[in-house]
Amino acid sequence: MSTIPACPQCGMENTYPDGSQFVCADCGHEWSALAAVSSEDNAARIVRDANGNLLSDGDAVVLVKDLKVKGSSTTLKQGTKIKSIRIVDGDHEVDCKMDGGSFMLKACYLKKA
Ligand SMILES: [Zn+2]
C-alpha cells in the first residue's frame, strides 16, 4: 500500500487516498482502492483448472471431486456447478458463492463448465 496508482480516468499521478478510496485532485475522479489492487493482481495471476484451462472472474465451473469444507461438516459434491467465480490471491485461488455460503476453493479441483 505504499504507492498510490495514477488516476484511471485522466492518468495524472496527483492522487491521494481517502478512506478506502483514492481521489484524483486533477479531475476529481474517485475510485475504490480495493478494486484497484485486486484488478492489478488479477492481471498478473494465471489460474488454471484441472484440465489446464485458464479461469477468470465470472467463469462457471464444476467440481471434479467431493470437497470437504474446512472447519465444517459441509461437503461440496462432485459435479456441483458454480455459476460465477472470482479469482483471488492465496493458496485457494477461487472465491465463489453457493447456497451454503461463500467458499474458497483450489482451482485444481475445478473444471470450466
Ligand atoms: Zn484524474
Side-chain angles (χ1 to χ4, degrees):
M1 295 302 285
S2 58
T3 54
I4 299 171
C7 174
Q9 188 120 307
C10 68
M12 299 296 281
E13 290 177 354
N14 199 8
T15 52
Y16 58 91
D18 180 21
S20 64
Q21 294 202 309
F22 290 127
V23 181
C24 173
D26 285 294
C27 71
H29 183 58
E30 294 178 16
W31 70 100
S32 163
L34 296 173
V37 167
S38 74
S39 69
E40 267 175 32
D41 288 347
N42 288 350
R45 179 127 208 193
I46 293 174
V47 175
R48 292 180 189 277
D49 71 2
N51 296 327
N53 293 314
L54 275 179
L55 294 175
S56 50
D57 285 3
D59 277 349
V61 296
V62 175
L63 294 183
V64 297
K65 62 170 284 187
D66 288 0
L67 295 178
K68 263 194 145 5
V69 179
K70 242 189 224 168
S72 83
S73 59
T74 306
T75 300
L76 305 174
K77 291 278 182 220
Q78 178 182 356
T80 300
K81 194 166 178 185
I82 302 162
K83 270 191 199 135
S84 183
I85 60 165
R86 213 162 59 84
I87 305 300
V88 294
D89 264 344
D91 185 36
H92 293 62
E93 311 94 336
V94 176
D95 183 18
C96 63
K97 286 200 172 58
M98 283 184 275
D99 290 345
S102 183
F103 300 100
M104 303 290 288
L105 303 174
K106 280 181 177 278
C108 60
Y109 298 136
L110 305 170
K111 68 172 183 189
K112 215 165 175 171

